[in-house]
Amino acid sequence: MKLITAVIKPFKLDDVKAALEQFGIKGMTVSEASGYGRQRGHTEVYRGAEYQVDLVPKVRVEVLAEEDDAEDVIDVIVKAAQTGKIGDGKVWSVPVDTVIRVRTGERGPEAL
Amino acid sequence: MKLITAVIKPFKLDDVKAALEQFGIKGMTVSEASGYGRQRGHTEVYRGAEYQVDLVPKVRVEVLAEEDDAEDVIDVIVKAAQTGKIGDGKVWSVPVDTVIRVRTGERGPEAL
Amino acid sequence: MKLITAVIKPFKLDDVKAALEQFGIKGMTVSEASGYGRQRGHTEVYRGAEYQVDLVPKVRVEVLAEEDDAEDVIDVIVKAAQTGKIGDGKVWSVPVDTVIRVRTGERGPEAL
Amino acid sequence: MKIDTGTTAWMITATALVLLMTPGLAFFYGGMTRAKSVLNMMMMSFVSIITVTLTWVLYGHSLAFDAFGDGDNVINKIIGGGDALGLQSLIDTATKDDGTGMPNLVFSAFQLTFAIITVALISGAIADRAKFGAWVVFGIAWATLVYFPVAHWVWGGGWLAGLGIEDFAGGTVVHVNAGAAGLALAFVLGKRTGWRKDPMRPHNLTLVLLGVGLLWFGWFGFNAGSELAVDGTAGLAFMNTQVATAAAAGAWILVEKLRDGHSTTLGVASGAVAGLVAITPACGFVDPWAALVLGLVAGAVCAYAVGLKYRFGFDDSLDVVGVHLVGGAIGAVSLGLIARYPFADGQNEGLIYGGPISQLGVQVLGPVAVGLYSFIMAYVIGKIIDKTMGFRIEQEDEVTGIDITTHAETGYDLGTVHSSGVASVNGPVSAAQAKKVDA
Amino acid sequence: MKIDTGTTAWMITATALVLLMTPGLAFFYGGMTRAKSVLNMMMMSFVSIITVTLTWVLYGHSLAFDAFGDGDNVINKIIGGGDALGLQSLIDTATKDDGTGMPNLVFSAFQLTFAIITVALISGAIADRAKFGAWVVFGIAWATLVYFPVAHWVWGGGWLAGLGIEDFAGGTVVHVNAGAAGLALAFVLGKRTGWRKDPMRPHNLTLVLLGVGLLWFGWFGFNAGSELAVDGTAGLAFMNTQVATAAAAGAWILVEKLRDGHSTTLGVASGAVAGLVAITPACGFVDPWAALVLGLVAGAVCAYAVGLKYRFGFDDSLDVVGVHLVGGAIGAVSLGLIARYPFADGQNEGLIYGGPISQLGVQVLGPVAVGLYSFIMAYVIGKIIDKTMGFRIEQEDEVTGIDITTHAETGYDLGTVHSSGVASVNGPVSAAQAKKVDA
Amino acid sequence: MKIDTGTTAWMITATALVLLMTPGLAFFYGGMTRAKSVLNMMMMSFVSIITVTLTWVLYGHSLAFDAFGDGDNVINKIIGGGDALGLQSLIDTATKDDGTGMPNLVFSAFQLTFAIITVALISGAIADRAKFGAWVVFGIAWATLVYFPVAHWVWGGGWLAGLGIEDFAGGTVVHVNAGAAGLALAFVLGKRTGWRKDPMRPHNLTLVLLGVGLLWFGWFGFNAGSELAVDGTAGLAFMNTQVATAAAAGAWILVEKLRDGHSTTLGVASGAVAGLVAITPACGFVDPWAALVLGLVAGAVCAYAVGLKYRFGFDDSLDVVGVHLVGGAIGAVSLGLIARYPFADGQNEGLIYGGPISQLGVQVLGPVAVGLYSFIMAYVIGKIIDKTMGFRIEQEDEVTGIDITTHAETGYDLGTVHSSGVASVNGPVSAAQAKKVDA
Ligand SMILES: Nc1ncnc2c1ncn2[C@@H]1O[C@H](COP(=O)(O)OP(=O)(O)O)[C@@H](O)[C@H]1O
Ligand SMILES: Nc1ncnc2c1ncn2[C@@H]1O[C@H](COP(=O)(O)OP(=O)(O)O)[C@@H](O)[C@H]1O
Ligand SMILES: Nc1ncnc2c1ncn2[C@@H]1O[C@H](COP(=O)(O)OP(=O)(O)O)[C@@H](O)[C@H]1O
């Protein structure tokens, strides 16, 4: 089992969610974050003064998926979140030992 | 070492925390999230119009635990968070290479 | 590849960020969290009544790093975040299967 | 110049109260939008204070309240003259010669505040998606071509006044007028991205209630002040305002409770505004029991009327039509039935007090005529703006949030982390940045 | 009808000011609750405006301020008559025949606003856990059976007025009365889940300060308006209100600084309210220096009194007892010592000005009698409601949050993500949903 | 005692309005800080109400408005006498003997509110970093040594009054005075940690707009009330206030649009305040067209002036200098050109109406003298406090947030999780805790 984490632009959440649903993903967890990567280093003017701004708002999407689906899920997310501009975000995948559905106590793939 | 992540109903946080403490867990990290799984697809009426709502507020609890405790910790969480209704949440466990306590720089189990 | 997660004191974020930059880290993701470890159990007086307070605000920093840099990154974070007092936080590291840059679709080390 | 100090004391106060209503409206509207567009929503109200004040001083007062020529001509039925351009002629003159009036500048300031809020009201129909510059231009044009003339028609000696229309504090001039313009703009701008799909619920209901609190408070100046004197009628207008508002708020949340199973905060807020709107034209003309009934009717009807936009498919975002157009019309027409204290020449009691059906006719004609005129003019002005400078922002800017893309600010930055470079862990940081990144 | 325009101008203004106090109270109380119950807290205040306004128009004014029969009978000592049902008889009549008064409808509206806020004040004792419908019923019943009679006792020519009680603006009628009822309801409803275990700290102190700001502002109408005239006493009441409030706020935060090591925002807010409450009965009767001393005492005593609930184990959630019951009683009793300007028949100076001990007796008797009556009646009404329709919500609903479970709304939705289906990343989405999911 | 009820009605109202300005300022300032210091910012305003009210009652009124001796001596040019210590002598006396005045206590309360807000204004220069106790001491000292004397110079019959200075409502006494003191304190306390590196943007612009809304509303009491009568000049002052404010807000956002590409909410807010400040000394002296021009100039100039601090490197955190010192000076000096309605002995029309250049001289001299005096005194008082009790908090406390470290509270706790022990998932929990953990 894999945990796929995507840090994306907030306004792309909708598209990513729709794409995942269409792909057949049955659940996800979303939270707010900030970050920077290549995108950093732009300046901002406010009230006549200039500032360097680092951290930009992002949305973090986490999806638990079966081993075999993982690559496809990643592709789906990347495609849906892409604008081609810096700040598009990162996706990574981590191995998961076990998943449990709290309601039933089911484990593994059935818990998804 | 394992990192156990639980996405649960907000009002169950108290019970989960109490259960973990009783089990002897000495630390945890909590944050806010939203998500859906089987629970999605209900509708909501507001001001005379109906909407499909997807993402429901959840609390994410993260616990670092020793390899041997991991299964027990999961059981403790699942038991405490269970209401038997959809939306109860998910728990998963991920392998951890190493843990460090910032204050002292201790590593591994001592750092917990 | 590794995902290094640090849960630190909020007012140390600046120092950690600066230290990571100097080390050459090109990206990070930051979010808000709460937690407790050894630090728990202090009391607080408000309006003449006393309360036990558990969860203290923290900042979570996540850094994706190459296998070989992981140890150094951890050291950099620990050094920058340390005040020597309880509540300084935890750092842990998790193996990552793959990382993708959304903008380009690049994978692995190049995606960092 | 002789004036009555008591009357003037109250009218100065009333003017300040009505001015406060526009910030109140900004909070009411601002709280109802999503967090990403609260600033733009409030800015539309605040900039209306600017545009209308400046046009009022330059020529608005004259167009609305000066007589054209000697006043006894056909042009004066439509529009006022130009004697008070720049307001200079009002200095050191009073509304009445017998010493029972107030300085003309106080009267002018009082009327100015009505013009301001009428323009601001319209903005509720176009939340989240209007170009700021376009809104500024629209406000100036609509005030000039619609509000000033219509105020003249009803209160400045124009044709509706001649017909004996009863509009104590502006059910027709303010609410029907603004509501119809809002409807027109909702058509001109089209629906928000995601409308009917996202709930688009109020992001801050404490702000909504703050707005309602200030509106209710200020509305006493609006309604009781419209008597332009301190007397029994002012007292009646005050009490009726309170009674109708409470009744309407109660009726609205009762409808909600019965229909949806719960009474909402937005319901209490909307119901109160619906009551205030409906009693506006009627407050000095009716008995307290009639105000109570009028409030109940307005609250219940408007609770349903705000659903109309879903049926007819126009995105009147914050219910300007359902509350102001419908509520204002209810109040205006009701006077044909329940008016009991007409005071001007040509005004009559309502049907149930034996008044003539013609009064009911005028009470219907007024809102219809004003509503149609305002709708058509707003639509034409809106379309011209849309074709020239454009009235709607880019979709990507709308989805990202109009606050950050238009005003380079976000409403809130409550994150605990404010160290260097972390302007906000939770919120967009700046348009400048957004621009540079996304473009 | 002849009136004084200056007096009427001020009384209309004062009425609007006092009405604004109830929204102010809603913000003060709302900010003090946790984020998940801010809407319900504010709704309890707003719905009090509705229930009390409607009952006032129908019969409240009559019960409180009409004389029963010719006024010279034993029933009138307890309760008023019915001449002003529907307020119809007040139209076009004035409070005084000599032209120095105001329209009766203005007087009625002024008194109405007092009834409203008194009911709303009670709600602070039962934050987070009361059924909304039960609160509506309680408000109507308590206003009818307690407020209207008590107002009659003190201000309407009833038995306490006969004894020469001094209560300028309602220390007894409003604050002791509401505080005692709050205490009773705290017992009826029981403690909140988690009380004494969770800090349950204010979720929005800017809202608390907004509430205090509006209360302070409105309270000038409350206190100086209670002179019902524009004269030197009104000026004295105004100045004393300012002095006592500042002194009490200062005393409260000084106590905090010395006791806890820091002065808090909630302390300044609570201290100001304590001062306003304590000076309410006294403002027109005392010298500025006495107002200063009274403020200092009230601020310091109430800073300790809010801790009583922990000692005695009742969950008076937002300190209605510690601030209003205690503060109101301090002010009432103090007049037995420091009153200097009695004005009605039977009223006397305080002890230090050589007044009789009997005045002190009356000043003690008043709050005790009113407090007991209100406590008992509120307890009985509350218990009846609890046994029939139930007064407290389910515990799961309470823990989840009364806003979402009762009103199907949440106060804030500040998340940056508002794309389709993401009503809020941070907040509960709707009761409907919560219901469907959890049930 | 005979008074005019209309005048008194308005002056009581105006006093309440001006008092509301200080909470308004608290919200305006509070919204501009970062979330971690909003409470301290607001507390500095609220505690100014306390300190200034108490000093005013004890001796402030006397120093400012009593004549020293018979008034005809050199000491009286500098400072007032002591007849009204404790305000006792004001009871039951009126401002005028002919019955056209108001109770002296109303006049005193009105002037008190000016003293309060002037002190509160200063706090904007030292956001986020001042010891609370030090601020309390500074406020008392500066009010005593600077505000009371300066008010006497200009309005109490002192030397500037003797020279015929025109300052209708306090451009010099209030705004230049406070602005200069703010500048001094900015130097005494030094820059905030991270200044120029972090944007330090407003954390809550809805709060900023609320503040501006209340300030604007209250300012009508400030300006029109300063006529101390209800007459044509009060009406003129009212209208001019509205016109200049709208013009200045418009000018500011136009400058922003042209310079930065977008009009901001903070710009509208700051522009409105700049306009209110600039028209303050002028409102009763000039024509509406002149108010319009003055507003445009003040808005545009101040939009640039707030950038001065970056050029000169002082951290006037919330732009007290750029808005109040600059705006107040513009208004004061402008009267030398555009004053048209002088009313006191020694006052003259402005240059363009053929007035003498000497009036312009006095209009320059006033702000310069007051500004220098206030700057020097504030600097000296500030330095003495800094050397003795310390004026600035520890850097770690500043970075963590002054709210939690000084007041043991945080402004907001909006997290959805409020179960036991989770005071807040999102926010700092308590100073107590922070102390125990970090120390
Ligand atoms: N090394 C990293 N570790 C953790 N998160 C990262 C890392 N690099 C980037 N991110 C996350 O990805 C987001 C987008 O990164 P960015 O560099 O802007 O994308 P790109 O490299 O495609 O331009 C950042 O805001 C941050 O949250
Ligand atoms: N595939 C998944 N990946 C990540 N998180 C998930 C996934 N499925 C469910 N979740 C999380 O678990 C929460 C509860 O899921 P839900 O489907 O409602 O539980 P159940 O399946 O027991 O009814 C969701 O709100 C979401 O945050
Ligand atoms: N077992 C754990 N699992 C997950 N997070 C933990 C754990 N222990 C501590 N933490 C996180 O680390 C933070 C700091 O821990 P703390 O115990 O205060 O540090 P220390 O042990 O060095 O005193 C906590 O607030 C919590 O967020």
Side-chain angles (χ1 to χ4, degrees), chain A residues 25-29 62-64 101-103 111-112, chain B residues 7 34-39 56 58 85-90 92:
Chain A
I25 288 296
K26 299 190 209 73
M28 62 191 282
T29 300
E62 283 161 304
V63 182
L64 293 159
R101 160 171 294 127
V102 173
R103 174 163 51 92
L112 287 184
Chain B
V7 178
S34 301
Y36 71 85
R38 297 282 161 91
Q39 149 180 31
V56 180
K58 299 286 168 192
K85 299 173 200 154
I86 49 167
D88 268 1
K90 293 267 189 284
W92 66 84

Short mmCIF file of all heavy atoms in Angstrom, two decimals, chain A residues 25-29 62-64 101-103 111-112, chain B residues 7 34-39 56 58 85-90 92, ligand 2:
data_model
loop_
_atom_site.label_atom_id
_atom_site.label_comp_id
_atom_site.label_asym_id
_atom_site.label_seq_id
_atom_site.Cartn_x
_atom_site.Cartn_y
_atom_site.Cartn_z
N ILE A 25 -10.81 6.66 -7.25
CA ILE A 25 -10.32 6.76 -5.88
C ILE A 25 -11.49 7.09 -4.95
O ILE A 25 -12.27 7.98 -5.22
CB ILE A 25 -9.24 7.85 -5.79
CG1 ILE A 25 -7.96 7.38 -6.48
CG2 ILE A 25 -8.96 8.24 -4.35
CD1 ILE A 25 -7.30 6.20 -5.84
N LYS A 26 -11.58 6.36 -3.86
CA LYS A 26 -12.78 6.46 -3.03
C LYS A 26 -12.61 7.32 -1.79
O LYS A 26 -13.52 7.44 -0.98
CB LYS A 26 -13.24 5.07 -2.61
CG LYS A 26 -13.61 4.17 -3.78
CD LYS A 26 -14.29 2.91 -3.26
CE LYS A 26 -14.06 1.73 -4.18
NZ LYS A 26 -12.66 1.18 -4.14
N GLY A 27 -11.43 7.88 -1.59
CA GLY A 27 -11.26 8.70 -0.39
C GLY A 27 -10.02 9.55 -0.47
O GLY A 27 -9.10 9.27 -1.25
N MET A 28 -9.97 10.61 0.30
CA MET A 28 -8.77 11.44 0.36
C MET A 28 -8.83 12.32 1.60
O MET A 28 -9.88 12.50 2.21
CB MET A 28 -8.65 12.29 -0.90
CG MET A 28 -9.79 13.26 -1.10
SD MET A 28 -9.76 14.00 -2.75
CE MET A 28 -8.48 15.21 -2.52
N THR A 29 -7.66 12.84 1.96
CA THR A 29 -7.58 13.76 3.09
C THR A 29 -6.89 15.03 2.60
O THR A 29 -5.90 14.95 1.88
CB THR A 29 -6.78 13.13 4.25
OG1 THR A 29 -7.46 11.94 4.65
CG2 THR A 29 -6.68 14.07 5.43
N GLU A 62 -3.73 14.00 0.47
CA GLU A 62 -3.16 12.69 0.74
C GLU A 62 -4.12 11.60 0.30
O GLU A 62 -5.31 11.64 0.63
CB GLU A 62 -2.88 12.54 2.24
CG GLU A 62 -1.61 13.28 2.65
CD GLU A 62 -1.56 13.53 4.15
OE1 GLU A 62 -2.53 14.14 4.66
OE2 GLU A 62 -0.60 13.12 4.78
N VAL A 63 -3.59 10.64 -0.42
CA VAL A 63 -4.42 9.54 -0.91
C VAL A 63 -3.74 8.22 -0.58
O VAL A 63 -2.57 8.02 -0.91
CB VAL A 63 -4.60 9.64 -2.44
CG1 VAL A 63 -5.51 8.52 -2.92
CG2 VAL A 63 -5.14 10.99 -2.82
N LEU A 64 -4.46 7.35 0.07
CA LEU A 64 -3.99 5.99 0.27
C LEU A 64 -4.42 5.16 -0.92
O LEU A 64 -5.59 5.21 -1.32
CB LEU A 64 -4.61 5.40 1.54
CG LEU A 64 -4.16 6.05 2.85
CD1 LEU A 64 -5.16 5.78 3.95
CD2 LEU A 64 -2.77 5.54 3.25
N ARG A 101 -9.73 0.68 8.60
CA ARG A 101 -10.94 1.50 8.61
C ARG A 101 -11.46 1.51 10.04
O ARG A 101 -11.74 0.45 10.62
CB ARG A 101 -11.98 0.91 7.65
CG ARG A 101 -13.41 1.39 7.94
CD ARG A 101 -14.38 0.98 6.86
NE ARG A 101 -14.05 1.67 5.64
CZ ARG A 101 -13.85 1.07 4.46
NH1 ARG A 101 -13.97 -0.22 4.36
NH2 ARG A 101 -13.54 1.79 3.41
N VAL A 102 -11.58 2.67 10.61
CA VAL A 102 -11.94 2.78 12.03
C VAL A 102 -13.32 2.19 12.29
O VAL A 102 -13.54 1.46 13.26
CB VAL A 102 -11.90 4.25 12.50
CG1 VAL A 102 -12.44 4.37 13.92
CG2 VAL A 102 -10.47 4.79 12.42
N ARG A 103 -14.25 2.48 11.39
CA ARG A 103 -15.63 2.07 11.62
C ARG A 103 -15.77 0.56 11.82
O ARG A 103 -16.46 0.10 12.72
CB ARG A 103 -16.49 2.50 10.43
CG ARG A 103 -17.92 2.01 10.45
CD ARG A 103 -18.78 2.80 9.48
NE ARG A 103 -18.16 2.84 8.15
CZ ARG A 103 -18.42 1.95 7.18
NH1 ARG A 103 -19.27 0.98 7.37
NH2 ARG A 103 -17.84 2.07 6.01
N ALA A 111 -9.78 -1.87 3.50
CA ALA A 111 -10.00 -0.69 4.33
C ALA A 111 -10.04 0.59 3.50
O ALA A 111 -10.42 1.65 3.98
CB ALA A 111 -8.90 -0.58 5.38
N LEU A 112 -9.64 0.48 2.24
CA LEU A 112 -9.61 1.70 1.42
C LEU A 112 -11.02 2.12 1.02
O LEU A 112 -11.86 1.30 0.72
CB LEU A 112 -8.74 1.46 0.18
CG LEU A 112 -7.25 1.41 0.46
CD1 LEU A 112 -6.48 1.28 -0.83
CD2 LEU A 112 -6.81 2.66 1.21
N VAL B 7 -6.87 9.59 11.00
CA VAL B 7 -7.76 10.68 10.60
C VAL B 7 -9.12 10.35 11.20
O VAL B 7 -9.75 9.37 10.81
CB VAL B 7 -7.84 10.80 9.07
CG1 VAL B 7 -8.80 11.92 8.67
CG2 VAL B 7 -6.47 11.05 8.49
N SER B 34 -9.41 17.85 6.33
CA SER B 34 -10.76 17.52 5.85
C SER B 34 -10.63 16.29 4.99
O SER B 34 -9.55 16.01 4.48
CB SER B 34 -11.33 18.63 4.99
OG SER B 34 -11.39 19.83 5.69
N GLY B 35 -11.72 15.61 4.78
CA GLY B 35 -11.57 14.45 3.93
C GLY B 35 -12.89 13.80 3.61
O GLY B 35 -13.95 14.23 4.08
N TYR B 36 -12.82 12.81 2.76
CA TYR B 36 -13.99 11.99 2.57
C TYR B 36 -13.54 10.58 2.23
O TYR B 36 -12.40 10.34 1.87
CB TYR B 36 -14.89 12.55 1.46
CG TYR B 36 -14.33 12.40 0.08
CD1 TYR B 36 -14.50 11.23 -0.64
CD2 TYR B 36 -13.64 13.44 -0.52
CE1 TYR B 36 -13.97 11.10 -1.91
CE2 TYR B 36 -13.12 13.32 -1.78
CZ TYR B 36 -13.28 12.14 -2.48
OH TYR B 36 -12.77 12.00 -3.73
N GLY B 37 -14.46 9.65 2.40
CA GLY B 37 -14.20 8.27 2.02
C GLY B 37 -15.56 7.74 1.61
O GLY B 37 -16.24 8.35 0.78
N ARG B 38 -16.00 6.69 2.23
CA ARG B 38 -17.35 6.19 1.96
C ARG B 38 -18.41 7.22 2.30
O ARG B 38 -19.52 7.21 1.79
CB ARG B 38 -17.62 4.94 2.84
CG ARG B 38 -16.72 3.80 2.55
CD ARG B 38 -17.15 3.06 1.29
NE ARG B 38 -16.03 2.26 0.78
CZ ARG B 38 -15.80 1.00 1.12
NH1 ARG B 38 -16.63 0.38 1.93
NH2 ARG B 38 -14.75 0.36 0.64
N GLN B 39 -18.03 8.11 3.19
CA GLN B 39 -18.98 9.02 3.79
C GLN B 39 -19.50 10.09 2.84
O GLN B 39 -20.46 10.78 3.12
CB GLN B 39 -18.25 9.65 4.98
CG GLN B 39 -18.64 11.05 5.35
CD GLN B 39 -17.84 11.51 6.53
OE1 GLN B 39 -16.71 11.12 6.73
NE2 GLN B 39 -18.45 12.33 7.34
N VAL B 56 -15.37 16.72 4.68
CA VAL B 56 -15.88 16.84 6.04
C VAL B 56 -14.69 17.07 6.98
O VAL B 56 -13.65 16.46 6.80
CB VAL B 56 -16.61 15.55 6.43
CG1 VAL B 56 -17.16 15.64 7.83
CG2 VAL B 56 -17.71 15.25 5.43
N LYS B 58 -12.01 16.84 9.75
CA LYS B 58 -11.44 15.73 10.51
C LYS B 58 -10.28 16.24 11.34
O LYS B 58 -9.77 17.34 11.10
CB LYS B 58 -10.89 14.66 9.55
CG LYS B 58 -11.91 14.04 8.63
CD LYS B 58 -12.80 13.06 9.38
CE LYS B 58 -13.99 12.66 8.51
NZ LYS B 58 -15.00 11.95 9.27
N LYS B 85 -20.30 4.47 12.74
CA LYS B 85 -20.99 5.14 11.63
C LYS B 85 -19.97 5.54 10.56
O LYS B 85 -18.78 5.67 10.85
CB LYS B 85 -21.71 6.38 12.15
CG LYS B 85 -22.76 6.04 13.19
CD LYS B 85 -23.33 7.30 13.81
CE LYS B 85 -23.98 7.00 15.15
NZ LYS B 85 -23.99 8.17 16.04
N ILE B 86 -20.45 5.73 9.34
CA ILE B 86 -19.51 6.16 8.31
C ILE B 86 -18.90 7.49 8.72
O ILE B 86 -19.49 8.29 9.45
CB ILE B 86 -20.15 6.29 6.92
CG1 ILE B 86 -21.45 7.09 6.99
CG2 ILE B 86 -20.35 4.93 6.29
CD1 ILE B 86 -21.92 7.49 5.60
N GLY B 87 -17.67 7.70 8.24
CA GLY B 87 -16.96 8.91 8.62
C GLY B 87 -16.09 8.71 9.84
O GLY B 87 -15.47 9.67 10.31
N ASP B 88 -16.02 7.49 10.34
CA ASP B 88 -15.20 7.26 11.53
C ASP B 88 -13.72 7.46 11.28
O ASP B 88 -12.98 7.76 12.20
CB ASP B 88 -15.42 5.82 12.03
CG ASP B 88 -16.51 5.75 13.08
OD1 ASP B 88 -17.10 6.81 13.38
OD2 ASP B 88 -16.77 4.66 13.59
N GLY B 89 -13.31 7.29 10.04
CA GLY B 89 -11.94 7.61 9.71
C GLY B 89 -11.06 6.43 9.37
O GLY B 89 -11.52 5.30 9.23
N LYS B 90 -9.77 6.75 9.21
CA LYS B 90 -8.77 5.77 8.80
C LYS B 90 -7.57 5.87 9.73
O LYS B 90 -7.25 6.96 10.23
CB LYS B 90 -8.25 6.07 7.40
CG LYS B 90 -9.23 5.92 6.27
CD LYS B 90 -9.15 4.53 5.66
CE LYS B 90 -9.98 4.47 4.39
NZ LYS B 90 -11.43 4.38 4.62
N TRP B 92 -3.43 4.60 9.56
CA TRP B 92 -2.40 3.89 8.82
C TRP B 92 -1.03 4.04 9.48
O TRP B 92 -0.84 4.92 10.31
CB TRP B 92 -2.37 4.29 7.35
CG TRP B 92 -1.96 5.71 7.08
CD1 TRP B 92 -0.70 6.20 6.99
CD2 TRP B 92 -2.84 6.83 6.84
NE1 TRP B 92 -0.74 7.54 6.70
CE2 TRP B 92 -2.03 7.95 6.60
CE3 TRP B 92 -4.24 6.97 6.79
CZ2 TRP B 92 -2.57 9.22 6.34
CZ3 TRP B 92 -4.75 8.23 6.54
CH2 TRP B 92 -3.93 9.33 6.31
N1 LIG G 2 -8.08 6.59 0.33
C1 LIG G 2 -7.93 7.48 1.29
N2 LIG G 2 -6.78 8.20 1.34
C2 LIG G 2 -6.60 9.13 2.30
N3 LIG G 2 -7.50 9.40 3.26
C3 LIG G 2 -8.66 8.73 3.24
C4 LIG G 2 -8.92 7.74 2.29
N4 LIG G 2 -10.16 7.23 2.53
C5 LIG G 2 -10.62 7.87 3.62
N5 LIG G 2 -9.74 8.78 4.06
C6 LIG G 2 -9.89 9.67 5.22
O1 LIG G 2 -10.64 9.01 6.20
C7 LIG G 2 -11.77 9.77 6.56
C8 LIG G 2 -12.93 8.87 6.89
O2 LIG G 2 -13.22 8.09 5.77
P1 LIG G 2 -14.64 7.38 5.54
O3 LIG G 2 -14.67 6.81 4.18
O4 LIG G 2 -15.70 8.35 5.84
O5 LIG G 2 -14.64 6.24 6.57
P2 LIG G 2 -15.43 4.92 6.33
O6 LIG G 2 -14.89 4.34 5.07
O7 LIG G 2 -15.05 4.16 7.55
O8 LIG G 2 -16.85 5.33 6.26
C9 LIG G 2 -12.03 10.66 5.38
O9 LIG G 2 -12.69 11.86 5.76
C10 LIG G 2 -10.64 10.92 4.86
O10 LIG G 2 -10.04 12.02 5.56
#
